[in-house]
């Protein structure tokens, strides 16, 4: 997997491991539920469902495999076990949650084509049959029956009956079949479910059916088909392996900023959550990214690669919040795949925006991956297999670090690497108060500061949205749109300017709503698992987005006009000395010298000294002079 990123044979091994894992969890659920005093409620005992599963497997092992590996079944299993063990609260009665086991067994029996009659819970106005579809029940019954006789199936509740079509994916009166997307290019096929009905399809929270309209589904199909063509064209991450491990796509209402929301989870093998419409290139990169997460999570279920690593104190160059090493491991592998995807796009692109975009993304992602990999190799407690895995990944990444990229995309990518790291350090690193006071006193008295730099500690705090990455992308993908945005002026510039063109912002994907924090708060409490999935990506609120709207300084930086950008970033810092993004922009716009060096190397010290010595926003020291003074004395 480290060398070829996992082809069909590797994915088959991973699927086998996930099947075994699901069977163990299922058996544990049956045993625990069978002994629980509050169960089974109005449903038959859990062991009845187990016996039906055994019957189905004898007739059709593939049918049971399909259920065991269906992503929502994995989510339900993990949630239900935590609830039975008192580790998680849940909505609705316990008997209904555990009784979902009967619906799983009924689906397996239907797929296997065996005659049976079994009770199942009713929720959200109907009966969900995992991996098959949803039958609407017009009355308010808590329990319905699924019946199969002579290969004719129905869901029955009192006087109501929903007859299931022979092809469960089809629509029928009262029945919504689980549908698929399909992408194919040169014989390489990916056909995941587009799941809009299963209550456990969204592993961040339980939600009722939200059926896509025909127009919405067609839009997803068109975007997926275009994106899959791009995935299948590239050869850096085996596209057949990606197709083999993507089993469901779930449209969700969440958005992230500045990039579209996507997520995966080790509890939902093969599932990708996707928020909103996006262009084929971005969607293709997201599919590669999440497939990497899916494969690595499954591998780590089989082979331990890292010990401990749960402390959220490390820097990840793709996120502003401190991260655990386990989350960093996942991110490195995922972004290695994305790096390969963009390297392939760069190789295929001609001149113009397509080439500049690919060069920028390739340069950015390879630098991020390399930085994260170095942190892992320096700090992680790796198993022998984990060390070998990362060294093989390092060998592969070395091939991507060597090729040059065009100067402008390369420069902006390098700037954004520094930008991200500075903002992270200023936001989360706190210099030792005693040493900091000595530096502040030295500035006031114009004396020599201590010879040693203050030590720092990690104190996680809220993060902010960064505008500059989105502007860099807009400059390369849509040069004319970027030019119009720049001509329209900027919001919040200290020196004024025209009102920001909101339509241009929409084209830049900057006007995004906040990510649903409630969804993350209700996510599975096993934070280690969520970190492995890289899920805790809270986006800023509306006020953050308004503050993040690009002003003239950001636009000047993205255009390469560092003289104008420097003047305007100085104005921003003067107006708001705690504007961390402006401090980072100031550093990016400075020419080489002690001031720039200090801000790049020790931005948290420059900011902390500035805070220490100022008595009011307009009485602080000149930020460039302070940075120059610190840079001259640190010597690095």
């Amino acid at each position: 997997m480290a060398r070829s990123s996992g082809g069909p044979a590797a994915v088959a091994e991973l699927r086998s491991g996930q099947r075994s894992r699901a069977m163990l969890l299922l058996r544990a659920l049956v045993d625990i539920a069978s002994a629980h005093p509050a169960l089974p409620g109005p449903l038959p005992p859990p062991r009845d469902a187990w016996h039906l599963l055994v019957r189905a497997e004898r007739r059709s092992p593939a049918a049971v495999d399909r259920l065991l590996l269906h992503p929502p079944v994995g989510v339900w299993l993990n949630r239900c076990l935590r609830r039975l063990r008192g580790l998680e609260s849940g909505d609705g009665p316990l008997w209904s949650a555990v009784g979902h086991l009967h619906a799983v067994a009924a689906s397996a029996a239907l797929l296997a084509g065996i005659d049976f009659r079994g009770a199942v819970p009713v929720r959200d106005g109907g009966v969900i049959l995992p991996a098959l579809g949803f039958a609407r029940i017009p009355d308010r019954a808590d329990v319905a029956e699924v019946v199969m006789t002579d290969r004719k199936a129905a869901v029955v509740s009192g006087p109501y009956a929903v007859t299931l079509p022979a092809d469960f994916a089809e629509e029928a009166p009262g029945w919504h079949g689980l549908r698929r997307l399909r992408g194919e290019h040169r014989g390489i096929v990916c056909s995941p479910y587009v799941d809009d009905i299963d209550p456990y399809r969204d592993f961040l929270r339980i939600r009722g059916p939200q059926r896509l309209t025909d127009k919405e589904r067609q839009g997803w199909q068109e975007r997926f088909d275009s994106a899959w063509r791009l995935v299948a064209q590239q050869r850096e991450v085996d596209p057949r392996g990606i197709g083999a491990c993507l089993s469901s796509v779930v449209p969700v209402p969440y958005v992230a900023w500045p990039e579209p929301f996507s997520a995966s989870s080790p509890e939902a093998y093969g599932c990708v959550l996707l928020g909103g419409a996006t262009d084929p290139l971005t969607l293709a990169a997201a599919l590669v990214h999440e497939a990497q997460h899916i494969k690595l999570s499954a591998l780590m279920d089989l082979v331990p690669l890292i010990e401990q690593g749960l402390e959220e104190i490390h820097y990840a160059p793709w996120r502003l919040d401190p991260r655990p090493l386990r989350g960093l491991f996942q991110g490195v592998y995922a972004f290695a795949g994305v790096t390969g995807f963009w390297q392939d796009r760069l190789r295929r692109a001609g001149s113009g925006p397509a080439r500049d975009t690919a060069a920028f993304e390739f340069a950015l992602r390879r630098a991020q991956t390399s930085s994260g990999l170095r942190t892992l190799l320096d700090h992680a407690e790796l198993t022998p297999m984990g060390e070998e895995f990362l060294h093989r990944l390092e060998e592969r990444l070395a091939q991507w670090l060597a090729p040059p990229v065009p100067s402008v995309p390369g420069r902006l990518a390098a700037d954004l690497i520094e930008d991200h790291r500075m903002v992270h350090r200023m936001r989360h690193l706190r210099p030792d108060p005693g040493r900091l006071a000595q530096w502040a006193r030295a500035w006031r008295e114009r004396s020599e500061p201590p010879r040693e730099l203050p030590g720092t500690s990690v104190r996680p705090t809220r993060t902010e949205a960064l505008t500059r990455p989105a502007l860099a992308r807009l400059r390369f993908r849509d040069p004319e749109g970027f030019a119009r945005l720049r001509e329209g002026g900027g919001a919040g510039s200290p020196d004024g300017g025209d009102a920001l063109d909101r339509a241009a912002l929409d084209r830049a994907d900057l006007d995004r709503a906040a990510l649903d924090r409630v969804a993350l708060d209700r996510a599975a409490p096993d934070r280690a698992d969520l970190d492995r999935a890289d899920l805790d990506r809270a986006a800023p609120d509306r006020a953050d987005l308004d503050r993040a709207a690009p002003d003239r300084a950001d636009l000047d930086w993205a255009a390469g006009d560092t003289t104008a950008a420097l003047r305007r970033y100085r104005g921003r810092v003067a107006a708001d000395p705690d504007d961390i993004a402006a401090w980072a922009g100031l550093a990016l716009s400075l020419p080489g010298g002690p001031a720039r060096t200090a801000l790049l190397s020790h931005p948290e010290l420059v900011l902390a000294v500035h805070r220490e010595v100022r008595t009011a926003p307009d009485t602080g020291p000149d930020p460039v002079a302070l940075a120059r003074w610190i840079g001259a004395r640190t010597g690095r």
Side-chain angles (χ1 to χ4, degrees):
M1 283 180 58
R3 285 179 174 168
S4 65
S5 298
V11 171
E13 290 291 332
L14 298 177
R15 286 177 59 85
S16 177
Q18 289 299 295
R19 184 195 186 282
S20 297
R21 180 179 183 273
M23 185 62 79
L24 289 170
L25 292 176
L26 192 63
R27 185 54 194 253
L29 177 73
V30 171
D31 290 344
I32 295 171
S34 296
H36 198 286
L39 297 173
L43 291 168
R47 294 196 186 280
D48 286 10
W50 177 268
H51 294 318
L52 183 57
L53 278 169
V54 171
R55 285 180 59 200
E57 186 175 36
R58 287 172 179 166
R59 171 72 66 85
S60 174
V64 174
D65 283 358
R66 180 170 165 182
L67 267 298
L68 291 176
L69 292 170
H70 189 52
V73 171
V75 176
W76 161 74
L77 269 172
N78 283 275
R79 278 184 171 272
C80 204
L81 279 169
R82 285 194 294 270
R83 187 171 177 185
L84 285 169
R85 291 167 174 161
L87 301 176
E88 179 179 322
S89 59
D91 298 330
L94 178 63
W95 67 263
S96 180
V98 175
H100 192 66
L101 172 63
H102 291 280
V104 173
S107 288
L110 289 169
L111 288 171
I114 61 177
D115 291 349
F116 76 100
R117 175 184 290 270
V120 293
V122 176
R123 62 178 302 159
D124 298 316
V127 170
I128 182 70
L129 291 173
L132 300 184
F134 181 74
R136 292 202 173 275
I137 301 296
D139 66 356
R140 297 184 178 180
D142 292 327
V143 176
E145 280 193 315
V146 181
V147 182
M148 178 81 155
T149 305
D150 294 330
R151 305 194 69 82
K152 294 181 180 179
V155 176
V156 180
S157 176
Y160 303 100
V162 176
T163 301
L164 275 55
D167 180 352
F168 298 117
E170 292 182 354
E171 296 289 288
W175 174 254
H176 295 306
L178 185 57
R179 301 171 295 191
R180 290 185 181 272
L181 300 173
R182 180 176 175 83
E184 182 175 2
H185 181 71
R186 295 180 179 176
I188 303 176
V189 178
C190 183
S191 186
Y193 294 117
V194 55
D195 196 341
D196 52 6
I197 55 175
D198 197 296
Y200 296 99
R201 66 190 182 278
D202 178 352
F203 46 77
L204 293 178
R205 68 177 184 184
I206 298 174
R207 62 172 66 248
Q210 293 176 310
R211 195 66 163 172
L212 296 174
T213 65
D214 290 342
K215 183 178 180 180
E216 289 170 334
R217 180 175 176 270
Q218 183 60 31
W220 276 99
Q221 172 57 45
E222 291 173 358
R223 291 191 296 274
F224 184 82
D225 183 62
S226 298
W228 182 251
R229 186 176 300 109
L230 299 175
V231 173
Q233 284 175 356
Q234 59 83 40
R235 290 295 180 270
E236 296 298 329
V237 182
D238 193 323
R240 290 179 173 82
I242 296 174
C245 77
L246 292 180
S247 56
S248 74
V249 167
V250 178
V252 292
Y254 319 133
V255 294
W257 196 92
E259 298 179 16
F261 177 83
S262 69
S264 53
S265 168
E267 295 184 353
Y269 174 78
C271 173
V272 176
L273 306 186
L274 290 172
T278 188
D279 63 278
L281 263 176
T282 304
L283 179 54
L287 293 176
V288 173
H289 179 104
E290 300 304 342
Q292 293 288 92
H293 278 312
I294 290 166
K295 288 180 285 188
L296 184 59
S297 294
L299 178 66
M300 293 175 79
D301 281 337
L302 295 173
V303 181
L305 300 177
I306 183 173
E307 306 288 354
Q308 305 304 320
L310 299 178
E311 302 84 5
E312 298 186 359
I313 60 174
H314 296 277
Y315 171 62
W318 45 83
R319 287 178 51 153
L320 283 174
D321 53 329
R323 301 293 293 140
L325 287 170
R326 285 180 176 268
L328 200 60
F329 203 121
Q330 276 280 351
V332 163
Y333 190 66
F335 279 106
V338 175
T339 300
F341 172 80
W342 285 112
Q343 195 273 344
D344 184 88
R345 297 310 307 170
L346 176 58
R347 187 173 62 242
R348 294 172 181 272
S351 60
R355 181 171 179 78
D356 287 344
T357 295
F360 167 76
E361 297 288 358
F362 173 58
L364 180 67
R365 297 313 189 186
R366 71 179 180 179
Q368 291 174 325
T369 306
S370 179
S371 172
L373 179 60
R374 182 49 49 196
T375 299
L376 283 173
L377 292 173
D378 289 345
H379 298 286
E381 183 181 343
L382 301 169
T383 65
M385 188 68 74
E387 188 169 352
E388 181 182 359
F389 186 93
L390 287 185
H391 280 305
R392 292 188 180 186
L393 188 60
E394 185 181 32
E395 293 172 2
R396 190 168 186 235
L397 183 60
Q399 301 171 8
W400 294 330
L401 292 173
V405 297
S407 60
V408 175
R411 177 184 62 79
L412 286 188
D415 268 8
L416 289 176
I417 292 294
E418 296 287 6
D419 185 21
H420 191 278
R421 187 181 55 79
M422 285 188 289
V423 171
H424 173 91
R425 291 178 69 99
M426 286 187 281
R427 181 59 70 187
H428 303 298
L429 295 189
R430 296 292 178 268
D432 174 73
R435 291 282 188 185
L436 175 62
Q438 293 174 357
W439 277 80
R441 184 168 57 252
W443 168 265
R444 293 190 191 99
E445 298 174 354
R446 297 300 187 267
S447 60
E448 285 298 313
R451 293 183 178 180
E452 296 182 2
L453 291 168
T456 58
S457 58
V458 178
R459 297 183 183 178
T461 184
R462 67 188 299 274
T463 59
E464 61 234 71
L466 294 181
T467 301
R468 288 182 283 266
L471 289 178
R473 289 189 170 94
L474 181 64
R475 174 179 174 176
F476 297 125
R477 292 194 183 194
D478 184 6
E480 293 181 358
F482 176 78
R484 288 193 300 269
L485 182 60
R486 195 175 182 217
E487 289 170 3
S493 296
D495 58 349
D498 298 332
L500 190 65
D501 179 356
R502 178 57 60 184
L505 271 185
D506 290 339
R507 289 193 295 271
D509 278 344
L510 296 176
D511 186 22
R512 296 178 184 275
L515 175 65
D516 188 346
R517 164 54 65 182
V518 174
L520 292 176
D521 289 342
R522 293 180 179 177
D526 188 346
R527 183 56 57 188
D529 276 350
L530 290 181
D531 287 336
R532 289 165 59 195
D534 234 2
L535 297 181
D536 191 17
R537 300 193 286 116
D541 58 23
R542 170 55 61 186
D544 286 327
L545 291 175
D546 289 340
R547 285 192 293 271
D551 65 5
R552 294 293 294 270
D554 294 325
L555 291 164
D556 289 337
W557 165 83
D561 188 349
T562 55
T563 300
L566 177 59
R567 182 178 69 254
R568 291 189 167 106
Y569 282 129
R570 289 185 71 131
R572 278 178 55 177
V573 172
D576 180 4
D578 287 316
D579 185 346
I580 286 177
W583 277 94
L586 185 72
L588 297 178
S589 304
L590 282 168
R596 178 181 171 90
T597 299
L599 281 167
L600 292 179
S601 302
H602 312 292
E604 72 284 355
L605 176 59
V606 179
L607 177 64
V609 173
H610 195 274
R611 285 172 172 166
E612 191 79 5
V613 300
R614 72 180 184 245
T615 57
D618 57 349
T619 61
D622 177 79
V624 176
L626 177 63
R628 186 183 302 116
W629 177 77
I630 292 175
R633 282 150 182 80
T634 58
R636 57 188 186 276

